[in-house]
Amino acid sequence: MSVFVLGSINLDAVARVDDLPRPGETVAGLSLELFPGGKGANQAVAAARLGAPTRLMGAVGKEDAGPGLKTKLSEYGVQVGDVLELPSVPTGQAHVWVASSGENMIVVTSGANAAITPQHVAATSLDGQRILLSQLESPAHAIETLFRAGAAKGALRMLNAAPALPQGAALFPLTDILILNQTELATYAKLDQEPVRLEEVSRASRKLMSRPDQVVIVTLGAAGVACIRRDEAFLIEGRKVKALDTTGAGDCFCGALAACLSINMDLREAVEMANAAAALSVQKSGAAPSMPSKREVEAFLEG
Ligand code: RIB
């Protein structure tokens, strides 16, 4: 069964620094590399690397890095037939700073990603798509069209509501599995502080649910992943690894989870597998290039 991702495709310019700059500060970069990225592309690569047939819908510029990014994504196993190449529009770009601690800061300019419309989505066949996965680097109205069409076809709709945007909340009632990090959860649930303990995460997550069959999954960094559904809340412990670059770790989790659920894996088992995939991804540089294969994840879980 396959995964359909509607999402962003960016060229990531990744500068390594010792420490992230503070406002007004200039710091020396240690290196600068270009990688394929974008939350949609990263999640599609993660799903494809975990073995799910995966289609990506998005848009890139025609005259710059766009066509090359499409080629790279298809080399990772992603089906890119629904990726538009638009003239006179720049491909999305992300300026990523990665500190020696593995922490990062990212600024995204959306470019062609903003050009996807509900009409583009409505013109695409969703036949045979078991899982629909999106994030908020694509226009919310296009995601809404996708999720409404998916509901009619009985697909499972997964939303990674990142980055946290006001328009994202309107999509929650159309979502079956909502995935957030602690910061995003605090923003959407209007909390002054990020929730830490499972009880706090669970209480905040339930504020975002409007249907009893919804699931909220909250990634807690090194602390693991919390899953909240109608009658239970459980925590999957984080895996201790040395992080080289955390860029795209959340995307790895989302794409891997989608791939596991596309083969009807039990939710707890799927979260464990996605958690392991994300732990592997932070040990390599770059977002899309750091997504592990199914074999690597299975070996890590066995080891
Ligand atoms: O989640 C990481 C991604 O966010 C990066 O690849 C960057 O392109 C931004 O979209």
Side-chain angles (χ1 to χ4, degrees):
M1 289 296 233
S2 51
V3 173
F4 183 96
V5 181
L6 168 60
S8 57
I9 302 159
N10 294 334
L11 179 66
D12 287 3
V14 181
R16 289 200 158 269
V17 293
D18 282 325
D19 296 301
L20 295 172
R22 288 165 299 175
E25 189 184 19
T26 301
V27 297
L30 305 174
S31 63
L32 179 68
E33 290 177 282
L34 300 178
F35 295 108
K39 294 186 192 305
N42 297 340
Q43 295 183 14
V45 171
R49 297 271 290 150
L50 262 276
T54 303
R55 276 169 65 190
L56 173 62
M57 179 171 208
V60 293
K62 196 181 173 71
E63 294 101 4
D64 56 12
L69 284 174
K70 261 179 87 171
T71 304
K72 196 75 202 156
L73 292 171
S74 80
E75 285 169 8
Y76 286 128
V78 176
Q79 296 165 34
V80 293
D82 296 297
V83 175
L84 310 175
E85 290 182 27
L86 303 176
S88 312
V89 183
T91 296
Q93 283 202 25
H95 290 202
V96 183
W97 301 333
V98 182
S100 50
S101 63
E103 281 182 311
N104 65 49
M105 290 176 87
I106 304 178
V107 175
V108 176
T109 45
S110 57
N113 294 305
I116 289 286
T117 63
Q119 290 71 30
H120 289 131
V121 176
T124 298
S125 167
L126 297 176
D127 290 346
Q129 305 302 310
R130 161 101 181 90
I131 307 274
L132 307 179
L133 172 61
S134 197
Q135 325 73 29
L136 299 179
E137 286 183 339
S138 296
H141 284 115
I143 302 170
E144 180 182 339
T145 302
L146 178 73
F147 281 7
R148 288 195 189 283
K153 293 189 177 287
L156 186 76
R157 298 156 299 172
M158 298 174 60
L159 179 68
N160 174 214
L165 297 175
Q167 60 269 37
L171 295 168
F172 295 176
L174 300 174
T175 299
D176 301 307
I177 300 185
L178 177 64
I179 308 165
L180 309 155
N181 65 24
Q182 273 162 299
T183 314
E184 290 147 4
L185 175 61
T187 303
Y188 288 117
K190 300 187 171 56
L191 306 179
D192 296 333
Q193 282 188 326
E194 290 182 10
V196 178
R197 291 182 305 116
L198 182 59
E199 294 78 15
E200 297 166 341
V201 172
S202 172
R203 203 176 316 122
S205 298
R206 288 182 197 285
K207 284 188 177 182
L208 310 183
M209 295 175 169
S210 53
R211 284 184 284 118
D213 58 342
Q214 287 178 310
V215 177
V216 178
I217 297 181
V218 185
T219 56
L220 306 169
V225 183
C227 292
I228 293 91
R229 49 185 170 183
R230 179 172 32 188
D231 43 13
E232 67 171 342
F234 60 88
L235 180 74
I236 302 291
E237 296 275 332
R239 293 181 164 267
K240 288 196 175 40
V241 292
K242 176 144 177 42
L244 175 70
D245 180 359
T246 57
T247 315
D251 298 332
C252 181
F253 178 86
C254 295
L257 184 69
C260 292
L261 295 176
S262 77
I263 52 169
N264 292 327
M265 198 181 276
D266 163 74
L267 180 68
R268 187 182 283 261
E269 201 187 330
V271 171
E272 269 169 15
M273 190 122 181
N275 190 35
L280 284 171
S281 76
V282 302
Q283 297 175 60
K284 286 193 186 161
S285 286
S290 70
M291 303 304 167
S293 68
K294 188 174 187 186
R295 187 171 300 174
E296 287 170 321
V297 177
E298 285 170 346
F300 182 65
L301 282 168
E302 280 162 18

